[in-house]
């Protein structure tokens, strides 16, 4: 009980003072909880849970997200599940829509709200991994007494946001534990695993949104997530992940206007050679599909065999 009192006093002090410590992301979140969400650290708020009907609607809207994240959740839980961790996937509002947990830990996790249908936004639960990652739009570690509500200081959380194909926050993936022996180092390791899983889910969502396009991986490494471009058959960019948008200075307006991927990637060919090169590539593809049979390729193209031979000679196709 005295620990809770000490925690509450510290929250009030840090959230109201003007020092370098008070300018930290944690202190900023504490201030949001008090001034924006009108929470107090000492209040005993039970975990906010959606009704069954509300939860069912949220799950239905999040079907693509759940489908694209399922394998990653299984993979991540196979690594962290035996260490007493619970894994949550939430939507963009912090509602837990899917989870993984060991049966022996279910009772404890459910009692603290680490369960499907629970709302972990900052407005609902104060400073916490999920709510703060969504509010700050960045990966976070919220370790024990960094939580706002005193009742949550037994938790340690590592969370990363997940963005949709337009670069907007769509979800969060979180690993939480109630273990008292969770260290800064162990949480840092979990945080890296969570960021990696979030990046793979983001890539899955992007490929799903542009399932008929070619997907290009930018050559430069991206620390903020997968740097992917979706390109149509004419080499025009259809979409880009947030990391790709930052790397190439892209926005929705530039993408909608139409921009060749080659121009963005510095691979622009000689303008005079572009049309013959494109025609040569198209003819070679048709010949490959016809197994080299010129008559069949000409039929597929709707031209005569003689016309096809002339094109092949002009374009120097053997």
């Amino acid at each position: 009980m005295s620990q809770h009192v000490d925690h509450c006093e510290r929250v009030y002090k840090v959230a109201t003072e003007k020092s370098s410590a008070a300018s930290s992301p944690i202190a900023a979140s504490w201030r949001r909880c008090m001034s924006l969400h009108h929470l107090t650290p000492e209040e005993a708020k039970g975990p906010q849970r959606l009704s069954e009907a509300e939860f069912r609607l949220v799950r239905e809207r999040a079907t693509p997200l759940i489908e694209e994240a399922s394998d990653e959740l299984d993979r991540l839980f196979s690594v962290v599940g035996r260490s007493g961790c619970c894994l949550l996937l939430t939507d963009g509002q912090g509602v837990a829509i899917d989870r993984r947990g060991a049966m022996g830990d279910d009772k404890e996790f459910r009692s603290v709200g680490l369960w499907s249908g629970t709302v972990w936004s900052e407005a609902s639960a104060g400073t916490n991994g999920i709510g703060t990652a969504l509010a700050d739009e960045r990966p976070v570690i919220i370790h024990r007494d960094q939580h706002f509500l005193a009742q949550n200081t037994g938790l340690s959380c590592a969370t990363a946001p997940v963005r949709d194909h337009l670069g907007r926050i769509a979800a969060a993936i979180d690993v939480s534990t109630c273990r008292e022996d969770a260290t800064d180092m162990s949480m840092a390791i979990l945080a890296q695993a969570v960021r990696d899983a979030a990046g793979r889910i983001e890539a899955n969502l992007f490929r799903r949104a542009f399932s008929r396009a070619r997907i290009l991986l930018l050559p430069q490494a991206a620390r903020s997530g997968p740097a992917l471009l979706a390109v149509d058959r004419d080499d025009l960019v259809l979409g880009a992940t947030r990391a790709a948008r930052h790397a190439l200075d892209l926005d929705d307006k530039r993408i909608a206007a139409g921009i060749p991927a080659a121009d963005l990637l510095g691979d622009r060919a000689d303008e005079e050679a572009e049309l013959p090169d494109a025609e040569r590539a198209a003819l070679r593809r048709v010949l490959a599909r016809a197994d080299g049979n010129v008559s069949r390729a000409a039929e597929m193209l709707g031209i005569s065999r003689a016309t096809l031979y002339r094109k092949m000679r002009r374009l120097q196709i053997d």
Side-chain angles (χ1 to χ4, degrees), residues 24-221:
S24 71
I26 298 299
S29 175
W30 286 356
R31 283 195 293 271
R32 285 196 300 269
C33 293
M34 294 175 61
S35 61
L36 184 61
H37 306 310
H38 307 293
L39 301 175
T40 57
E42 67 271 16
E43 63 184 294
K45 283 175 61 73
Q48 180 183 345
R49 290 181 56 82
L50 300 184
S51 68
E52 290 187 12
E54 291 171 332
F55 180 56
R56 188 162 52 250
L57 288 174
V58 170
R59 285 264 305 182
E60 288 175 359
R61 288 196 296 266
T63 296
L65 169 63
I66 295 170
E67 291 177 351
E68 298 302 330
S70 181
D71 288 346
E72 290 303 327
L73 295 180
D74 291 340
R75 186 179 295 112
L76 182 56
F77 186 69
S78 70
V79 175
V80 306
R82 295 182 180 179
S83 60
C85 293
C86 174
L87 184 59
L88 290 182
L89 175 72
T90 79
D91 66 6
Q93 286 67 52
V95 179
I97 55 177
D98 205 358
R99 71 177 297 276
R100 302 289 188 275
M103 188 176 298
D105 299 323
D106 280 355
K107 183 177 180 180
E108 182 176 21
F109 286 142
R110 186 161 193 163
S111 68
V112 296
L114 295 173
W115 207 260
S116 298
T118 304
V119 183
W120 280 98
S121 63
E122 271 194 351
S124 173
T127 304
N128 70 89
I130 293 166
T132 303
L134 293 174
D136 287 348
E137 298 191 2
R138 64 178 181 86
V140 299
I141 297 174
I142 306 296
H143 192 25
R144 299 182 70 81
D145 63 0
Q146 291 178 327
H147 286 82
F148 179 80
L149 296 180
Q151 68 179 28
N152 290 335
T153 54
L155 295 174
S156 294
C157 314
T159 314
V162 177
R163 294 179 179 271
D164 65 12
H165 63 287
L166 297 175
R168 304 170 303 192
I169 295 292
I173 183 170
D174 169 82
V175 171
S176 292
T177 180
C178 298
R179 294 182 58 146
E180 295 182 2
D181 59 353
T183 64
D184 290 341
M185 181 176 292
S186 65
M187 293 308 299
I189 294 172
L190 290 176
Q192 183 60 57
V194 167
R195 286 196 297 271
D196 291 344
R200 289 190 290 270
I201 295 171
E202 187 171 322
N204 290 347
L205 291 172
F206 188 78
R207 292 188 179 96
R208 182 180 183 128
F210 299 103
S211 59
R212 300 178 65 86
R214 287 190 299 122
I215 304 298
L216 304 181
L217 174 64
L218 296 193
Q220 63 266 42

